[in-house]
Amino acid sequence: MKDPFKILELPRGLAISSEKIDKAYREASRRLHPDSGGEKEDFQEMAAAAELLKSPSRRLRWAIESTESAWDGRGRVPTSVMDLFSPVAEVIQKVDQFELERGNSKSVLGRAVLDARVPELKRELEDVLQSVSDEEAGLLEVFEEFDRGGWLEFAEQMGEVARGLSFLEKWQREIRAATGKLFQALLGGL
């Protein structure tokens, strides 16, 4: 892909806020949308650039590749990220088990007994999502250092952080999906 920062007319840097990316996307959309006289291909390229930059892990991988360093998705992951693996897996497994048990329940009373577990499951999901979000915020703090020191200089460290962020982004999606499953199970029982 071409330089996503240039496409969105943003200064090149990893430590860019979501708000700046969103604002640049809205401005570029006004210019490039086919309904405004823009070309469909240019609009799609701009949308892809915005999507890439909105994901910290994908933004970081693009930066690594732009230095002509090889991106390796395998390798070291921050220990603090791996420490979250079990808590995330456990709570998602609990939600999956709840969904299965509720789906197999044949009586209103049985579903009501299971539904009493929902507040606790919801709290556990919220807690683990907060832990994942806090870890992500900690990893994002080094983006300014990478920008100051130069991407080529920090390519190896950037790779480790990118791998960690990939896990965190995936877990955030899974936790949100598990939260949705809880509510779907309850709505399906009405």
Side-chain angles (χ1 to χ4, degrees):
M1 168 182 259
K2 294 179 189 174
D3 187 331
F5 295 98
K6 284 184 182 176
I7 292 170
L8 289 170
E9 299 179 358
L10 288 166
R12 201 179 219 210
L14 296 171
I16 189 164
S17 70
S18 294
E19 293 79 18
K20 283 186 180 181
I21 296 167
D22 289 340
K23 182 179 178 188
Y25 173 76
R26 286 190 303 275
E27 290 172 2
S29 290
R30 282 188 220 113
R31 278 191 333 270
L32 299 174
H33 196 279
D35 291 346
S36 301
E39 296 294 323
K40 182 179 177 181
E41 295 78 21
D42 292 339
F43 182 78
Q44 289 173 335
E45 181 180 58
M46 179 275 307
E51 186 178 322
L52 183 146
L53 292 179
K54 285 182 185 181
S55 165
S57 69
R58 291 184 61 211
R59 184 182 337 145
L60 198 49
R61 287 193 312 257
W62 181 87
I64 293 166
E65 291 169 354
S66 75
T67 66
E68 299 183 7
S69 297
W71 160 251
D72 183 2
R74 299 167 301 166
R76 190 165 145 60
V77 174
T79 303
S80 55
V81 171
M82 294 315 299
D83 289 345
L84 292 171
F85 181 80
S86 288
V88 169
E90 286 171 13
V91 73
I92 289 173
Q93 186 177 26
K94 285 180 183 179
V95 171
D96 289 343
Q97 185 64 33
F98 165 81
E99 182 184 38
L100 179 67
E101 289 174 16
R102 193 168 194 291
N104 290 335
S105 179
K106 303 291 185 218
S107 72
V108 173
L109 179 59
R111 285 191 297 273
V113 168
L114 288 167
D115 291 349
R117 293 175 27 203
V118 169
E120 178 64 21
L121 288 170
K122 185 176 179 293
R123 186 193 59 71
E124 288 182 46
L125 285 166
E126 289 169 351
D127 289 348
V128 78
L129 180 60
Q130 186 63 53
S131 296
V132 168
S133 297
D134 290 347
E135 181 62 26
E136 180 184 51
L139 291 179
L140 294 177
E141 287 178 1
V142 299
F143 278 19
E144 287 183 18
E145 182 181 341
F146 295 157
D147 286 339
R148 276 193 310 272
W151 294 350
L152 186 58
E153 180 71 26
F154 286 102
E156 187 176 327
Q157 294 94 326
M158 288 168 60
E160 181 177 338
V161 171
R163 287 185 289 276
L165 287 169
S166 291
F167 276 106
L168 297 173
E169 289 173 8
K170 175 181 175 252
W171 293 339
Q172 286 171 332
R173 287 189 303 272
E174 290 175 353
I175 293 164
R176 288 185 182 104
T179 302
K181 285 180 182 181
L182 278 181
F183 293 109
Q184 274 303 112
L186 292 176
L187 292 174
L190 297 176

